[in-house]
Amino acid sequence: MKREKEMKRKRWQTTILLAVIIVVTYVSIAITEFNVLTGITAIPQAIGWMFSHLLITQESLAKLPSILEKLNETIFMSIAATTTAAAVSIFLGLMGSKTTRVSNVLSVLARFIASFSRNIPVVAWALILLLSFGQNSMTGYLALFVGTVGFLTRAFIESIDEVSGSAVEALTATGATYFQIVNKAVIPQSLPQMISWILFMIETNIRSATLVGILTGTGIGYIFDLYYKTMDYNTVALVTFTIVITVIAIEMASNYIRKVIL
Amino acid sequence: MSLLQVKRLGKSYDLETKVLKDISFDVEAGEFVSIIGPSGAGKSTLLRSINRMVEINEGHVIFDNNDVGSLKKKELRQLRTDIGMIFQHYNLVPRLSVIENVLHGRFGYKTTIQGILGRFTEDEKERAFYLLDKLGIGEHAYKRCDQLSGGQQQRVGIARALIQDPKLVLCDEPIASLDPNTSKIIMDHLQSIVSELNITCIVNLHQVEVAQTYSDRIIGLKAGEIVFDGPTPWLTDDRIHHIYGTETRELITG
Ligand SMILES: Nc1ncnc2c1ncn2[C@@H]1O[C@H](COP(=O)(O)OP(=O)(O)O)[C@@H](O)[C@H]1O
Ligand SMILES: [Mg+2]
C-alpha cells in the first residue's frame, strides 16, 4: 500500500519536472528569439566553413615560434596563479574545515571568501580587475588567482573533513599541538587529494587563461584575438591547434601524476 | 588518594537533553574498569569528559590531583600525555607507516618544532619497536597502516597509547569493529597492560560477557546515570536486565 503510494508520487514528480523543463526551454527560446531550427540547420554549414577556412598553411607555420612564446607565457601564468592560490587555499581550508578550524569567526570568514570568489565567473573577475589594473598580465594572473582560491578552498575543506577527523581526535588526545596535528596528520593524509585538485585547476586555468588573455591582451589569448581580428584564419587555426595540444598534454600529465600519488 | 575522581559530573550538548547526570565514582591506580550500557547511554561522552575531549558542564573530574575542567590549554596538553586513548575505528593516519603512527604518541612531550621535524630520540624509537614486537606486529613497522587488518591497526593504536607512558588508558569500544577471535587478542593485550605495566584501564564495552571476563569492576550506565557500580561478580542477570531493560523491550516490540 505504502509503496504503491510512494511510487505514484514519484511518477507524478517526474511528470511535473519534465513539464517544467519543457516550459522553461520554450520560454527561453521565445524570450531570446533563438530559432531552434535555424540553429540546428546552421551546424553543418558552420562545420563546412571551419574546414575550408581554418587550415594550417605553410605561411602560418612561420609564426609558430612567436605563438609558442605566448603560449608559454599563458601556461606559466596559469601554473603560477594556481600554485600561489593553492598556498592561500591551504590556509583558508584549514581555517574553514570543521576538524581543523581555530575559531568560528575565522571559519565563517574563510567560507565566505571562498564562496564569494568562486561564484563570480573568472571572465567577470577579469573585467572587474581590468578597471583597476588595466590591460596587462597582472590582471589575468589575479583573475585566475581569485577564482582558483575560491574553488580550491572549498575542495580542500572537503578533503580535510573527509579524511582526517578521526586522526585529529586521536592526536589531540595525546596532547599534540595544533601545528603538529596539521603537519603530521591532516596534511599527509589529505595531500594526494589536494594535489589532484591542484592539477585539475591547472588544466582548467590554462583553458580559461586563453579567454582571459583575449580580454587582458596578454598571452595566447592576445595572439588569437590579433589574428582573428585581422581575419588571418589560418593562423587562428594554428593557435587553436596548439592550445588543444597543450590542454591534452597537460591532462595526460596530470592523470599520470594522479595515478602515481593516489 | 585515588588516581581518578569523578564528582557530580553533568554534561549536555544542547539545552534540552542532559547526556550525563550527576555522575560520581573513583578509580584506583591499577584497576581495570568496564563501562557498559546501551548505545546512547553516554559512555563515549563520559570517557571524553575525563581527558576533556568534550567540555564539562557541571561537577569535577580530578585526575592525578588536577582539576581537569579548570586547566589552561598548556596544562591540559600536559595532562593528556598521561592519558592514552584507544578508539573503535583506531583513528590512525592511514597513509603513514605503522612506526610513524606509534611515534605520534610522543608529540605531547615535544615542542611544536620538534614534532614537525620528527625529532625523536633513539630511546623513543627503540621503545616504539619494542612495543610493536610485544604486540606481535613488529614485522609490519614500515608498512602503511591502511594495508593492515583491523586487529593489527588496533594494536598500532595500543602502541601509540602506550608510548605516551600513560597512567591511565581510556578505550572507547575498542573491539566493536572486530571479529571474536581478534577481539580476544585485543582484550588480552589490554589486560596485560593493567597486570604487567600497572596502567589503569577504563573500557567502554557493549558486550557484557567481555566486560565480565576481563574487568575487576563494572559501571553500568543508563540514560546518562550510573545504575550499577561494583565488583564484577556483583553484576547479576537481574542487574544486567535493569541496565539494558528498556532496550531489550524495544527490540522485542520494535
Ligand atoms: N557531539 C555531540 N553533539 C550532540 N549530541 C551528542 C554528541 N555526542 C553525543 N551526543 C548525544 O549524546 C548522547 C550520548 O551519546 P554517547 O556518549 O555517544 O553514548 P554511547 O557512547 O553510550 O553510545 C546521545 O544521545 C548522542 O546523540
Ligand atoms: Mg559510544
Side-chain angles (χ1 to χ4, degrees), chain A residues 163 165-181 183-186 188-192 261-262, chain B residues 48 51 53 77 80-81 83 85 87 91-96 104-105 107-108 110-112 115-118 160 164:
Chain A
V163 123
S166 63
V168 169
E169 184 187 25
L171 289 200
T172 308
T174 69
T177 65
Y178 179 78
F179 287 104
Q180 287 171 346
I181 296 171
N183 275 283
K184 293 295 178 176
V186 177
Q189 191 57 31
S190 43
L191 197 60
I261 56 169
L262 283 181
Chain B
R48 281 169 175 71
N51 58 355
M53 292 299 286
R77 239 192 100 204
R80 282 175 177 162
T81 60
I83 305 177
M85 193 155 191
F87 304 85
N91 294 22
L92 307 171
V93 184
R95 291 181 55 84
L96 296 184
H104 283 173
F107 281 160
K110 300 193 173 293
T111 63
T112 294
I116 290 174
L117 295 179
R160 179 177 63 191
Q164 284 180 238

Side-chain angles (χ1 to χ4, degrees), chain A residues 197-219:
Chain A
W197 283 121
I198 292 171
L199 292 171
F200 170 77
M201 249 358 250
I202 288 178
E203 290 166 33
T204 311
N205 278 346
I206 286 177
R207 285 192 204 100
S208 340
T210 311
L211 194 57
V212 169
I214 295 176
L215 300 171
T216 60
T218 51

Side-chain angles (χ1 to χ4, degrees), chain B residues 75-224:
Chain B
E75 299 165 327
L76 178 62
R77 239 192 100 204
Q78 201 167 12
L79 177 111
R80 282 175 177 162
T81 60
D82 283 337
I83 305 177
M85 193 155 191
I86 291 164
F87 304 85
Q88 177 182 350
H89 301 292
Y90 332 124
N91 294 22
L92 307 171
V93 184
R95 291 181 55 84
L96 296 184
S97 67
V98 167
I99 189 76
E100 283 173 292
N101 269 285
V102 175
L103 287 168
H104 283 173
R106 296 301 297 177
F107 281 160
Y109 292 99
K110 300 193 173 293
T111 63
T112 294
I113 298 294
Q114 284 173 331
I116 290 174
L117 295 179
R119 290 280 160 79
F120 296 103
T121 64
E122 285 307 314
D123 279 353
E124 286 171 325
K125 289 179 207 162
E126 241 167 63
R127 175 93 179 134
F129 282 108
Y130 169 79
L131 286 170
L132 288 176
D133 280 335
K134 187 114 181 118
L135 289 161
I137 46 172
E139 81 246 46
H140 301 304
Y142 296 106
K143 277 196 193 153
R144 264 169 58 160
C145 286
D146 51 13
Q147 291 171 342
L148 303 186
S149 70
Q152 290 168 334
Q153 292 193 45
Q154 191 57 293
R155 283 183 269 172
V156 178
I158 295 175
R160 179 177 63 191
L162 291 184
I163 205 168
Q164 284 180 238
D165 216 353
K167 296 184 174 131
L168 170 66
V169 175
L170 305 172
C171 312
D172 193 9
E173 310 263 4
I175 55 170
S177 310
L178 302 173
D179 62 67
N181 289 333
T182 320
S183 296
K184 184 173 182 315
I185 295 172
I186 297 297
M187 289 310 296
D188 287 344
H189 281 303
L190 292 181
Q191 191 170 44
S192 66
I193 289 174
V194 180
S195 58
E196 287 174 31
L197 305 172
N198 202 33
I199 295 171
T200 314
C201 243
I202 304 180
V203 187
N204 281 354
L205 285 170
H206 64 235
Q207 306 90 324
V208 183
E209 325 77 59
V210 178
Q212 285 171 317
T213 312
Y214 288 93
S215 37
D216 308 320
R217 171 181 163 197
I218 293 176
I219 293 176
L221 210 59
K222 179 183 181 178

Side-chain angles (χ1 to χ4, degrees), chain A residues 1 6 32-34 51 56 58 64 75 86 92 97 100 102 104 106 135 139 149 154 157 162 165 177 180 221 257-258:
Chain A
M1 266 305 280
E6 183 68 16
T32 56
E33 295 177 352
F34 175 74
F51 272 103
I56 299 169
Q58 206 67 37
L64 192 59
I75 293 172
L92 289 177
S97 147
T100 54
V102 287
N104 280 337
L106 277 179
Q135 272 203 323
T139 308
V149 164
R154 184 197 153 121
I157 287 176
E162 184 184 318
T177 65
Q180 287 171 346
I257 298 174
R258 272 193 199 106

Side-chain angles (χ1 to χ4, degrees), chain A residues 77-253:
Chain A
M77 190 190 72
S78 308
I79 292 175
T82 313
T83 48
T84 45
V88 174
S89 301
I90 286 185
F91 174 76
L92 289 177
L94 287 170
M95 292 301 105
S97 147
K98 278 200 298 286
T99 31
T100 54
R101 67 176 162 209
V102 287
S103 85
N104 280 337
V105 180
L106 277 179
S107 168
V108 171
L109 188 69
R111 283 162 189 270
F112 175 76
I113 294 174
S115 81
F116 182 74
S117 49
R118 190 178 60 242
N119 287 315
I120 297 177
V122 172
V123 173
W125 275 118
L127 290 171
I128 294 165
L129 293 163
L130 262 178
L131 297 176
S132 40
F133 291 93
Q135 272 203 323
N136 59 46
S137 49
M138 191 63 191
T139 308
Y141 167 83
L142 281 177
L144 293 181
F145 174 85
V146 173
T148 309
V149 164
F151 184 89
L152 284 183
T153 300
R154 184 197 153 121
F156 288 179
I157 287 176
E158 275 169 19
S159 306
I160 291 169
D161 278 343
E162 184 184 318
V163 123
S164 42
S166 63
V168 169
E169 184 187 25
L171 289 200
T172 308
T174 69
T177 65
Y178 179 78
F179 287 104
Q180 287 171 346
I181 296 171
V182 166
N183 275 283
K184 293 295 178 176
V186 177
I187 300 289
Q189 191 57 31
S190 43
L191 197 60
Q193 269 195 39
M194 287 183 174
I195 291 176
S196 180
W197 283 121
I198 292 171
L199 292 171
F200 170 77
M201 249 358 250
I202 288 178
E203 290 166 33
T204 311
N205 278 346
I206 286 177
R207 285 192 204 100
S208 340
T210 311
L211 194 57
V212 169
I214 295 176
L215 300 171
T216 60
T218 51
I220 195 75
Y222 167 72
I223 292 267
F224 183 93
D225 196 36
L226 183 74
Y227 293 117
Y228 181 81
K229 281 188 178 140
T230 54
M231 296 196 282
D232 182 351
Y233 297 125
N234 300 321
T235 314
V236 168
L238 181 62
V239 172
T240 313
F241 186 68
T242 56
I243 295 172
V244 171
I245 294 292
T246 309
V247 171
I248 290 174
I250 297 264
E251 223 174 86
M252 274 162 52

Side-chain angles (χ1 to χ4, degrees), chain B residues 64-75:
Chain B
D64 207 16
N65 295 324
N66 295 294
D67 185 356
V68 176
S70 64
L71 294 181
K72 303 224 170 47
K73 214 172 148 194
K74 205 170 165 193
E75 299 165 327

